[in-house]
Amino acid sequence: MRYVYESLRYLYKMSLAVSLRRALLVLLTGAIFILTVLYWNQGVTKAQAYNEALERPHSHHDASGFPIPVEKSWTYKCENDRCMRVGHHGKSTKRVSFISCSMTCGDVNIWPHPTQKFLLSSQTHSFSVEDVQLHVDTAHREVRKQLQQAFDWFLKDLRQIQRLDYVGSSSEPTVSESSSKSRHHADLEPAATLFGATFGVKKVGDLTSVQVKISVLKSGDLNFSLDNDETYQLSTQTEGHRLQVEITANSYFGARHGLSTLQQLIWFDDEDHLLHTYANSKVKDAPKFRYRGLMLDTSRHFFSVESIKRTIVGMGLAKMNRFHWHLTDAQSFPYISRYYPELAEHGAYSESETYSEQDVREVAEFAKIYGVQVIPEIDAPAHAGNGWDWGPKRGMGELAMCINQQPWSFYCGEPPCGQLNPKNNYTYLILQRLYEELLQHSGPTDFFHLGGDEVNLDCWAQYFNDTDLRGLWCDFMLQAMVRLKLANNGVAPKHVAVWSSALTNTKCLPNSQFTVQVWGGSTWQENYDLLDNGYNVIFSHVDAWYLDCGFGSWRATGDAACAPYRTWQNVYKHRPWERMRLDKKRKKQVLGGEVCMWTEQVDENQLDNRLWPRTAALAERLWTDPSDDHDMDIVPPDVFRRISLFRNRLVELGIRAEALFPKYCAQNPGECI
């Protein structure tokens, strides 16, 4: 029995061992299968995530963006200068993308339209951004450095357009003294996985190199002036598998505009996933107006430095040259002054909603890369609120009056009220220090803005009822001018701007020094009076170039909004110098124009689509000023097509520009107009 028992026990152990081995084998097989599936899915997930990232345009300063779909089901052919959409259901014929058809069909797709001459070949070539090289020809060392920095950002834009991804690269290009290939080759990985190629393998186009030569022939000046020579010439020529690009200008500013035009002669084709450009081209160009501006109010709402930079990128591409930074107002004083930080301590919305000296300097330096001057404005004497309510604590007396006074409608245009004290010398000293700081940050200039708008004489009348109140405003502006001169090392800027008002027609400000920014209606008498009184003017007419209009009232009582909405067509069609029938002398007094974005109802979430592409409409009006042979309310079909393509370019760069019409209209040009 014991033997039988031992035998059974032995058999039981053997069967248990076999069962355990089988179970372990099954578990091991299952684990291997699960790990294989997980590994495979992990690779798929990674590829999918990477592909989605590549489908999304990388903003200069914003990781988010809009998807740019690949439209493989359609091909386009050019008929009568229009791209006709047809189905593409096979591979028997090569598909032509919408952008490639648009760039080779009809009029030149440069915005603003060139003013002098242009010639583009019908033949195109493909290449990758990694093939682009720079050579700078100038006798001016600082101009060379500035051009190399501008070229770095040009390459960054091209990488974004080509949808290449960054791996371990810095957020911004660095300046290199050498004229070399694209600066970040080691950090760049092309979007090869999206196209079925081996990851990290460069896409190859028709061209082996694109050699960009930029020549600045005359001026070595990098300081902004209304006398800057902004003309340029651009030519491209194919030699074998090389494309030779030459940009020639008399100044850095003209060369920078040439680079913006070159960027618009390049597009991304989703058929071969390469950049394309013309085999041969010639462009000769110059602006019609010297001042082409955009004003942004950063007091009613705070805007990050990144959003301001993004705005400047769009301005540079559209060849605009003046960013008017309405830095402070009654609602907030976000600038932290070196000398008087109390202004921000009492006036900013919060500690995080402020601009440091470094912020202003950084914006100004960035703007110069795109050929844009930053013009900071401390509005005075009106539009001064809680930021100025600390004088008595510092033994400086009352710096401002009527602060938060009620009923506000008696003492200011909108709440909260506040107006600087024109009889306190400390007020002028503070302004002088502020001007000094801002000039140091933004650089030497022949143009400065003092504000001066919407002074409420009833506010001052409470304190100075025995004084000529109109004369008091004149005295204030003249004293501010004196302080500006002191802040600018004893030299008064050639053009000192003030906003138009009933007070600017008192003739108390010398027309040889003061320029008036006219914000009222285009039919108001002040337009004619200011010109007749000899003032240079910048037009910002509320009925055409105020981009904040048309969104309803933001208050329960009082006038708080302008209407209707200013469409891009309204902006584009506005030609006040023609409507006013100005003679040659009066037209010369028009320095240019500026769109204004007041931000009572705008914050960072709406900024891009409130500005773009309507601001681009102003850019072409002031650069090209095309003649108007059509009805006052009709924009030529060609303009629709070109501004639509320019809007798409902005979106490629991460600027969330407003849609112009249904996508069907873009795919079927001419049908919706």
Side-chain angles (χ1 to χ4, degrees):
M1 287 293 296
R2 183 177 180 184
Y3 176 77
V4 172
Y5 174 78
E6 291 294 336
S7 298
L8 291 172
R9 185 178 179 185
Y10 174 78
L11 290 172
Y12 174 77
K13 286 183 178 181
M14 289 293 293
S15 118
L16 183 60
V18 170
S19 299
L20 286 173
R21 280 197 294 270
R22 286 177 178 174
L24 287 172
L25 183 62
V26 170
L27 287 173
L28 181 61
T29 303
I32 291 172
F33 175 78
I34 291 171
L35 288 173
T36 301
V37 170
L38 287 174
Y39 179 81
W40 176 259
N41 286 342
Q42 183 185 38
V44 171
T45 302
K46 284 183 177 179
Q48 180 181 3
Y50 183 70
N51 293 351
E52 289 173 352
L54 291 169
E55 286 291 291
R56 205 180 299 127
H58 300 288
S59 168
H60 280 275
H61 309 289
D62 185 359
S64 65
F66 294 121
I68 303 177
V70 177
E71 300 169 352
K72 293 291 187 181
S73 58
W74 303 107
T75 186
Y76 293 83
K77 60 180 179 179
C78 183
E79 293 183 358
N80 299 321
D81 291 339
R82 288 175 54 190
C83 288
M84 307 301 294
R85 184 179 71 156
V86 295
H88 182 69
H89 304 295
K91 296 185 177 179
S92 57
T93 58
K94 183 179 179 181
R95 173 179 167 268
V96 178
S97 67
F98 170 71
I99 183 64
S100 286
C101 179
S102 298
M103 295 299 291
T104 55
C105 183
D107 192 17
V108 59
N109 274 303
I110 300 173
W111 192 278
H113 198 284
T115 58
Q116 297 183 11
K117 66 170 71 171
F118 61 90
L119 179 65
L120 304 177
S121 67
S122 59
Q123 184 182 1
T124 65
H125 290 305
S126 60
F127 66 98
S128 175
V129 64
E130 293 179 309
D131 301 320
V132 182
Q133 300 170 325
L134 170 68
H135 174 70
V136 176
D137 181 15
T138 179
H140 309 287
R141 177 180 173 84
E142 292 304 313
V143 170
R144 177 186 297 275
K145 289 174 61 177
Q146 191 70 35
L147 283 171
Q148 288 172 341
Q149 193 170 7
F151 192 76
D152 277 339
W153 281 97
F154 168 76
L155 289 177
K156 189 174 190 295
D157 288 342
L158 290 189
R159 291 189 186 103
Q160 187 161 318
I161 292 168
Q162 195 177 344
R163 308 179 197 182
L164 298 179
D165 201 27
Y166 288 97
V167 178
S169 64
S170 60
S171 61
E172 295 185 357
T174 57
V175 181
S176 170
E177 284 291 334
S178 63
S179 299
S180 60
K181 271 199 171 186
S182 158
R183 308 293 196 262
H184 300 288
H185 290 178
D187 298 329
L188 197 66
E189 293 187 0
T193 53
L194 183 61
F195 319 129
T198 304
F199 183 79
V201 176
K202 172 185 162 184
K203 294 284 289 182
V204 178
D206 302 334
L207 301 172
T208 58
S209 70
V210 177
Q211 299 178 353
V212 180
K213 179 182 178 182
I214 304 178
S215 302
V216 173
L217 304 178
K218 294 183 180 180
S219 175
D221 195 355
L222 290 174
N223 296 328
F224 286 94
S225 165
L226 289 183
D227 295 326
N228 289 143
D229 186 342
E230 298 181 273
T231 62
Y232 71 91
Q233 295 186 55
L234 180 149
S235 66
T236 64
Q237 186 174 356
T238 304
E239 298 176 359
H241 292 284
R242 294 182 179 182
L243 184 70
Q244 303 285 346
V245 181
E246 289 196 14
I247 297 173
T248 305
N250 291 326
S251 74
Y252 165 76
F253 305 98
R256 186 60 189 84
H257 295 320
L259 208 52
S260 293
T261 292
L262 177 60
Q263 186 168 329
Q264 292 193 48
L265 296 179
I266 297 170
W267 64 95
F268 174 75
D269 192 300
D270 60 22
E271 182 65 18
D272 59 13
H273 306 283
L274 286 165
L275 298 175
H276 284 233
T277 192
Y278 303 97
N280 298 283
S281 63
K282 288 185 179 181
V283 179
K284 187 176 181 181
D285 207 1
K288 292 290 182 67
F289 290 94
R290 294 181 286 167
Y291 189 107
R292 307 177 302 280
L294 180 156
M295 189 226 72
L296 178 64
D297 161 28
T298 60
S299 171
R300 272 65 180 224
H301 279 97
F302 179 82
F303 295 84
S304 69
V305 168
E306 304 308 311
S307 67
I308 293 173
K309 285 183 176 181
R310 194 168 62 246
T311 299
I312 288 168
V313 169
M315 292 180 66
L317 191 62
K319 301 186 180 73
M320 302 184 76
N321 62 359
R322 301 290 185 271
F323 176 70
H324 177 180
W325 191 349
H326 188 82
L327 192 52
T328 69
D329 213 288
Q331 283 81 2
S332 74
F333 197 108
Y335 172 65
I336 303 174
S337 166
R338 180 194 323 158
Y339 296 107
Y340 300 103
E342 294 91 343
L343 291 161
E345 289 172 6
H346 288 255
Y349 285 130
S350 68
E351 185 177 355
S352 62
E353 295 170 289
T354 56
Y355 303 106
S356 66
E357 292 184 85
Q358 175 58 31
D359 289 333
V360 178
R361 189 160 48 248
E362 180 182 335
V363 168
E365 290 173 354
F366 180 82
K368 182 175 285 190
I369 293 171
Y370 282 88
V372 177
Q373 179 188 15
V374 172
I375 302 170
E377 175 202 347
I378 304 293
D379 204 355
H383 295 271
N386 291 307
W388 296 85
D389 194 19
W390 48 270
K393 296 178 183 177
R394 283 278 303 268
M396 302 172 76
E398 294 293 347
L399 300 172
M401 301 164 168
C402 314
I403 295 179
N404 299 322
Q405 191 166 353
Q406 294 288 345
W408 62 263
S409 57
F410 288 11
Y411 305 107
C412 60
E414 65 183 44
C417 293
Q419 201 154 285
L420 295 183
N421 185 346
K423 293 193 175 183
N424 185 341
N425 284 332
Y426 284 112
T427 299
Y428 300 109
L429 176 61
I430 294 171
L431 288 174
Q432 178 183 331
R433 294 300 191 192
L434 289 171
Y435 298 156
E436 180 182 320
E437 292 179 42
L438 294 175
L439 285 166
Q440 289 175 357
H441 306 330
S442 58
T445 178
D446 68 340
F447 191 98
F448 197 86
H449 208 299
L450 293 177
D453 63 321
E454 295 186 322
V455 171
N456 188 295
L457 298 182
D458 289 333
C459 167
W460 280 346
Q462 299 173 99
Y463 305 90
F464 313 118
N465 54 10
D466 60 341
T467 303
D468 174 10
L469 296 177
R470 289 178 179 271
L472 194 59
W473 175 82
C474 291
D475 292 341
F476 183 97
M477 300 312 301
L478 291 171
Q479 182 62 242
M481 175 71 169
V482 170
R483 296 297 181 143
L484 173 61
K485 182 177 179 179
L486 291 172
N488 198 39
N489 299 316
V491 178
K494 183 177 179 180
H495 303 276
V496 178
V498 295
W499 291 99
S500 63
S501 70
L503 299 174
T504 51
N505 275 325
T506 59
K507 303 182 185 179
C508 67
L509 303 181
N511 58 26
S512 60
Q513 292 178 298
F514 283 87
T515 293
V516 180
Q517 184 169 359
V518 185
W519 69 267
S522 59
T523 60
W524 291 10
Q525 184 61 36
E526 68 173 357
N527 293 279
Y528 302 92
D529 293 341
L530 288 166
L531 291 170
D532 289 342
N533 291 336
Y535 290 104
N536 289 328
V537 298
I538 294 167
F539 286 134
S540 295
H541 291 137
V542 64
D543 52 349
W545 293 344
Y546 263 39
L547 302 186
D548 56 299
C549 293
F551 294 92
S553 177
W554 55 275
R555 300 198 299 257
T557 60
D559 296 330
C562 50
Y565 178 82
R566 282 45 167 157
T567 67
W568 74 264
Q569 294 97 320
N570 297 145
V571 176
Y572 190 84
K573 296 287 286 185
H574 188 56
R575 300 181 76 200
W577 41 88
E578 292 296 324
R579 179 179 293 181
M580 295 171 66
R581 304 190 193 286
L582 299 181
D583 58 27
K584 189 174 182 180
K585 177 185 176 184
R586 295 290 187 270
K587 190 172 181 179
K588 192 174 181 180
Q589 293 172 235
V590 180
L591 301 181
E594 184 172 280
V595 289
C596 295
M597 178 54 73
W598 302 103
T599 60
E600 286 90 345
Q601 296 175 279
V602 180
D603 67 8
E604 199 155 321
N605 295 300
Q606 300 98 26
L607 181 63
D608 287 8
N609 56 52
R610 293 283 175 90
L611 287 177
W612 303 103
R614 291 187 294 165
T615 297
L618 177 83
E620 179 155 297
R621 174 54 55 205
L622 296 175
W623 179 278
T624 314
D625 191 27
S627 59
D628 194 352
D629 299 327
H630 298 75
D631 182 85
M632 288 297 293
D633 297 324
I634 297 176
V635 174
D638 170 67
V639 178
F640 273 83
R641 181 177 62 85
R642 288 190 301 105
I643 198 171
S644 174
L645 285 173
F646 186 79
R647 181 260 176 189
N648 291 345
R649 289 185 179 277
L650 295 173
V651 173
E652 280 186 317
L653 294 176
I655 298 171
R656 303 185 174 202
E658 183 179 44
L660 294 172
F661 35 58
K663 187 172 182 177
Y664 176 87
C665 301
Q667 291 181 330
N668 298 270
E671 288 195 20
C672 303
I673 300 173

